[in-house]
Amino acid sequence: MSKPGEAGLRGLADYLASDMSACNRVIVERMQSSVALIPQLAAHLVAAGGKRLRPLLTLAAARLCGYDNQDGRMRHVEIAACVEFIHTATLLHDDVVDESQLRRGLASANAIFGNKASVLVGDFLFARSFQILTADASLDIMAILSAASATLAEGEVMQMTTQNDLSTSVDQYLQVIYGKTAALFAAACEAGAVIGESGPEQREALRLYGANLGMAFQLVDDALDYAADQAVLGKEVGDDFREGKVTLPVLAAYAAGDEADRTFWRRVIEESEQTPDDLPAALECIARTDAIAITLARAEDYAAKAREALVGFADCEIKTLLLDTARYSVSRER
Amino acid sequence: MSKPGEAGLRGLADYLASDMSACNRVIVERMQSSVALIPQLAAHLVAAGGKRLRPLLTLAAARLCGYDNQDGRMRHVEIAACVEFIHTATLLHDDVVDESQLRRGLASANAIFGNKASVLVGDFLFARSFQILTADASLDIMAILSAASATLAEGEVMQMTTQNDLSTSVDQYLQVIYGKTAALFAAACEAGAVIGESGPEQREALRLYGANLGMAFQLVDDALDYAADQAVLGKEVGDDFREGKVTLPVLAAYAAGDEADRTFWRRVIEESEQTPDDLPAALECIARTDAIAITLARAEDYAAKAREALVGFADCEIKTLLLDTARYSVSRER
C-alpha cells in the first residue's frame, strides 16, 4: 500500500524525469563546499531521497506555463533546486527542534552528525539557495521565496507556541500548517509560473493550487501520524503524539470526546505525562470520535480547491498530472 | 577599562548617530511578526545592545563613498539593518550550537527562550534579511551578502570540525575566523561601497578594510577569552577553553610548550577532561609562552593592513574614524 499522494506524484515525476535528473545534478553540484562535512551531511539527505515534491511543483508549473528553456539557462531546474534547499534547511532545523531520530525512514541527520552540524548545514543550504536566486536575477522570484522562507519560520515558531496547548483553535492550527507547509508549496508553484512568464492570473492560479495542495498534504500527514504504520510513513508513528503537537486529529478527538477523554488528552498533551499504554488509548479515542475522517474531509476540501484553481489552464498532459496529484493527495487509490 | 576597539567604534557611532538611530528603527520595524514570540525574542537581543559594529561599517562605507541618500530611500540604513539581521541570526544559532548561557553579559536567548525558539527566530531573521535585500533590488549587494552568509556557515562548520583538535594548523584557524567573522565584516563594508556607487577599486579597498578589520577583531576576541575579566568581555571568560575551541592562544601555547604542557593541553582540549583547576593552569601556560602577545601581534598585522587598504580615499572625518577603528581594535588606549 502506498502513501496517499504517491500515485499522482509518480506520474508527475515520470513525466518530468529528465528535468528532475537535471535538478538532482544541480542539487549535488551546489551543495559542494571546501568544508567536507557539508557535502557529507547533505549527501546523507540526498541519499535519504524523499519525494522531491516541491521542486517537482516548480518544474511542473514552469512547463505548464510554457517554459521551454530556449534561453539555454534551465532556470526552472535552478529554481527547483533552490526550493529543495530551502525545504532541506527547514527539515534539518526541524529535526533539531523536534529531536527526531528518524527522517524518511532513515536515521535523521542530527542523530548521525549531531545538532550542531544540522543547524549549521541548514544555514549553509539556506544561504546557498539565495546565491542561486541571486544568479537567476529575478526580483519577483526572490520576493516569492524570501517571503515564503519568513512565513515558514513563522509557522514553525507558531507551531512551537501551540504545542501542548489544547486551547489552540482549528483556525490557529490551519495557520500553522499554512506556514510550515503550504506557503512553500505555493511559492514553489508561483515561482514556476514566473519562470514560464505567465500573466498575473495564471501566476495567482498556480499559487492557489500550491497553497491548497500543501494544506491537503499536511492534513493527510497529520492524519497518518495516528493512522499509518511506520513502514509506510517513513517516520515514527505517534511522533506528533509524543511531542504533544496539537494537530487536527487531536483537536477533533478532544472536541468530540467525553469528560474522560478530555481528562486523558489534557494529561498526555498538556501535562506531557505519557505511559506506553497511552498511544493505543489515543488511537482508540481518535477512531471512536471519527477524528481521522474529520481531518481527511478537510484535506479533501483543500484538494478540491487545488483542482479548481487550475480551471483556467488549457487541457494538457501536465495539467492532468497536477490534477491527479491533488486528487491522489487524499486517497490511497492507484 | 574598555574593551579593545571600543574607543574607535564610539567615534564612528557618534559621527553616524543619526544614521544609527534610523537603522535601529528599521531593525525594530522589520523584526515585527504576527507571531508574538518572534519580536519578543528579537527585542531581547536589541535590548542586549551589542556594538552594532557591522551595520556601522555599512553606514560608514556608504558615507565614505559619497552616498547622500538624495534618492530618498535610505538604502544604507536598510542594508545596514539587513547585515545586523544576518549577524543576529548567526549569534542565535551559535549560542544554540555552543550551549552558551551568556551573550553580551546578559542571559542568552536560548537560555531564556529555549533552543527551539533560537533556531527558528534565527531562520526568520535570515529570511527577513533577504526580503530587505529583495526590496533594495541590487543584485550586486545580494551577491555579496548571500555569499558572505554561505561563507559564515562554512566557517562555523569548520570551527566545529577543528574543535578539540590540536593538530589544527594556524592557517586552518585563520580560515575559520575569516569565515565566522571577517567575511561578514568584508561584506558589510563592500555593500556600503556599492550603495555609494563607488568604482571597483574603492569597492575592493573597502572589502579589504573590512576583511582585515574582522580578522583583527576576532583575534583580539580570542585573546580576551584567556585574558579579560567577565565584566569587560560580556561573556564567560574561559568559554572557549571549556568548549575545547582551538584558537590561536591555545595553538601558540601548545606549540611553544614543553612536554608537560602538551600533555596538559591534550587532556583538557582533545580529551575534554577538565577540572576546576585547569583554567588557571591554562592561563599560566598561556602567559608563560607569550601566547597572548603572539595572538595580539597577528591582530596588529591585520589592523595595519586594514588601515593601508584605505590609502586611496581622500582624507575626511569618516576616513579618520575608520582608521581609528582599526587602530583601536587592537589596543586599550582611549
Side-chain angles (χ1 to χ4, degrees):
Chain A
M1 196 156 71
S2 61
K3 190 176 165 185
E6 282 194 355
L9 275 181
R10 222 168 12 243
L12 209 53
D14 288 348
Y15 188 75
L16 295 167
S18 150
D19 281 349
M20 272 310 292
S21 301
C23 180
N24 283 330
R25 281 194 299 276
V26 170
I27 287 172
V28 171
E29 270 166 40
R30 301 288 290 173
M31 64 173 55
Q32 292 312 309
S33 162
S34 59
V35 181
L37 184 61
I38 292 174
Q40 276 166 25
L41 191 151
H44 171 76
L45 295 167
V46 172
K51 302 180 291 289
R52 297 256 197 281
L53 174 52
R54 292 157 188 81
L56 209 44
L57 290 175
T58 300
L59 297 171
R63 293 302 195 188
L64 181 66
C65 293
Y67 181 68
D68 57 6
N69 54 286
Q70 288 301 300
D71 54 11
R73 287 176 58 200
M74 299 290 274
R75 290 183 66 201
H76 63 323
V77 164
E78 295 283 333
I79 298 301
C82 172
V83 165
E84 184 69 358
F85 277 3
I86 294 172
H87 174 57
T88 305
T90 63
L91 290 189
L92 282 169
H93 288 182
D94 268 9
D95 283 345
V96 169
V97 161
D98 293 341
E99 296 163 5
S100 303
Q101 298 301 306
L102 276 180
R103 164 67 63 187
R104 295 167 182 161
L106 294 176
S108 61
N110 50 310
I112 298 176
F113 298 94
N115 283 344
K116 290 189 189 196
S118 291
V119 169
L120 298 174
V121 174
D123 289 350
F124 174 81
L125 291 177
F126 198 50
R128 187 47 59 87
S129 76
F130 279 97
Q131 289 186 283
I132 298 172
L133 287 176
T134 302
D136 179 72
S138 160
L139 287 174
D140 279 352
I141 295 179
M142 282 176 211
I144 291 165
L145 285 171
S146 59
S149 301
T151 303
L152 237 164
E154 288 179 313
E156 297 280 353
V157 174
M158 194 175 169
Q159 171 170 274
M160 197 189 87
T161 59
T162 61
Q163 204 158 339
N164 304 111
D165 181 2
L166 288 167
S167 74
T168 303
S169 68
V170 172
D171 278 353
Q172 285 172 318
Y173 161 78
L174 294 174
Q175 210 180 321
V176 167
I177 67 172
Y178 177 81
K180 67 179 251 194
T181 304
L184 190 57
F185 273 62
C189 289
E190 191 180 0
V194 174
I195 294 165
E197 294 178 10
S198 73
E201 279 169 34
Q202 291 198 321
R203 184 173 150 174
E204 174 62 8
L206 277 162
R207 189 190 68 74
L208 275 174
Y209 170 81
N212 285 294
L213 182 70
M215 295 298 284
F217 260 81
Q218 190 59 53
L219 281 158
V220 170
D221 208 55
D222 289 349
L224 285 176
D225 208 79
Y226 288 94
D229 60 83
Q230 188 171 323
V232 172
L233 200 58
K235 63 177 188 178
E236 293 175 65
V237 177
D239 261 358
D240 290 352
F241 179 74
R242 275 182 290 271
E243 289 162 20
K245 273 192 189 154
V246 175
T247 58
L248 191 51
V250 171
L251 286 176
Y254 183 69
D258 58 23
E259 199 40 53
D261 291 332
R262 287 166 163 260
T263 303
F264 167 78
W265 287 113
R266 279 194 291 267
R267 173 173 61 79
V268 294
I269 298 291
E270 296 207 311
E271 323 283 329
S272 299
E273 280 176 26
Q274 298 188 0
T275 70
D277 293 337
D278 286 335
L279 181 58
L283 294 173
E284 182 279 320
C285 178
I286 279 172
R288 178 164 38 79
T289 55
D290 276 337
I292 295 297
I294 290 167
T295 303
L296 292 178
R298 285 266 188 179
E300 286 275 9
D301 289 346
Y302 283 109
K305 279 186 197 146
R307 291 196 300 272
E308 282 157 30
L310 299 186
V311 72
F313 287 92
D315 288 341
C316 64
E317 177 90 26
I318 203 134
K319 179 180 169 180
T320 304
L321 290 166
L322 286 170
L323 292 173
D324 285 351
T325 298
R327 184 172 301 114
Y328 290 128
S329 70
V330 287
S331 92
R332 284 172 187 271
E333 299 173 52
R334 281 161 183 274
Chain B
M1 194 154 74
S2 61
K3 189 176 167 185
E6 282 194 356
L9 275 181
R10 223 171 6 247
L12 209 52
D14 288 348
Y15 188 75
L16 295 167
S18 151
D19 280 349
M20 272 310 290
S21 301
C23 180
N24 283 331
R25 281 194 298 276
V26 170
I27 286 173
V28 171
E29 271 166 39
R30 301 288 290 173
M31 64 173 56
Q32 292 312 309
S33 162
S34 59
V35 181
L37 184 61
I38 292 174
Q40 277 167 24
L41 191 151
H44 171 77
L45 294 168
V46 172
K51 302 178 293 288
R52 296 256 196 281
L53 173 53
R54 292 157 189 80
L56 209 45
L57 290 175
T58 300
L59 297 171
R63 293 302 194 188
L64 181 65
C65 294
Y67 182 69
D68 57 6
N69 52 288
Q70 288 301 300
D71 55 13
R73 288 175 56 200
M74 298 290 273
R75 291 183 65 201
H76 63 324
V77 165
E78 295 284 332
I79 298 301
C82 172
V83 166
E84 184 69 359
F85 278 2
I86 293 172
H87 174 58
T88 305
T90 64
L91 290 189
L92 283 168
H93 288 182
D94 269 10
D95 283 345
V96 170
V97 161
D98 293 342
E99 294 162 7
S100 304
Q101 298 302 306
L102 277 179
R103 163 69 63 188
R104 295 168 182 161
L106 294 177
S108 61
N110 50 310
I112 298 176
F113 298 93
N115 283 344
K116 291 188 187 195
S118 290
V119 169
L120 298 174
V121 174
D123 289 350
F124 174 80
L125 291 176
F126 197 51
R128 186 47 59 87
S129 77
F130 280 97
Q131 289 186 281
I132 298 173
L133 288 177
T134 303
D136 178 73
S138 158
L139 287 175
D140 278 354
I141 295 179
M142 283 177 211
I144 291 165
L145 285 172
S146 59
S149 300
T151 303
L152 238 164
E154 289 179 313
E156 297 281 352
V157 174
M158 194 176 169
Q159 172 169 273
M160 197 189 88
T161 59
T162 62
Q163 204 159 339
N164 305 112
D165 182 1
L166 288 167
S167 74
T168 303
S169 68
V170 172
D171 277 353
Q172 284 172 318
Y173 161 78
L174 294 174
Q175 209 179 320
V176 166
I177 68 173
Y178 177 80
K180 67 179 252 194
T181 304
L184 190 56
F185 273 61
C189 290
E190 191 180 0
V194 174
I195 294 165
E197 293 177 11
S198 71
E201 279 170 33
Q202 290 198 322
R203 185 173 150 175
E204 175 61 8
L206 276 163
R207 189 190 68 75
L208 273 175
Y209 170 82
N212 284 293
L213 183 69
M215 295 298 284
F217 260 81
Q218 190 58 55
L219 280 158
V220 170
D221 208 55
D222 288 349
L224 284 176
D225 208 79
Y226 287 95
D229 59 84
Q230 187 171 324
V232 173
L233 198 57
K235 63 177 187 178
E236 293 175 64
V237 177
D239 261 358
D240 290 351
F241 179 73
R242 276 182 288 272
E243 289 163 20
K245 273 192 190 154
V246 175
T247 58
L248 191 52
V250 171
L251 286 177
Y254 183 70
D258 57 26
E259 198 40 53
D261 290 334
R262 287 165 164 259
T263 303
F264 167 78
W265 288 113
R266 279 194 292 267
R267 173 173 62 79
V268 295
I269 298 292
E270 292 204 332
E271 323 283 329
S272 300
E273 279 177 27
Q274 299 187 0
T275 71
D277 292 338
D278 286 334
L279 181 58
L283 293 173
E284 183 279 320
C285 178
I286 279 172
R288 178 163 39 79
T289 54
D290 276 337
I292 295 297
I294 290 167
T295 304
L296 291 178
R298 284 265 188 178
E300 286 276 8
D301 290 346
Y302 283 110
K305 279 186 197 144
R307 292 197 297 274
E308 283 159 27
L310 298 186
V311 71
F313 288 90
D315 288 342
C316 64
E317 177 90 26
I318 204 134
K319 178 179 170 181
T320 304
L321 290 166
L322 285 170
L323 292 173
D324 285 351
T325 298
R327 184 173 301 114
Y328 289 128
S329 70
V330 287
S331 92
R332 283 172 186 271
E333 300 174 52
R334 280 162 183 274

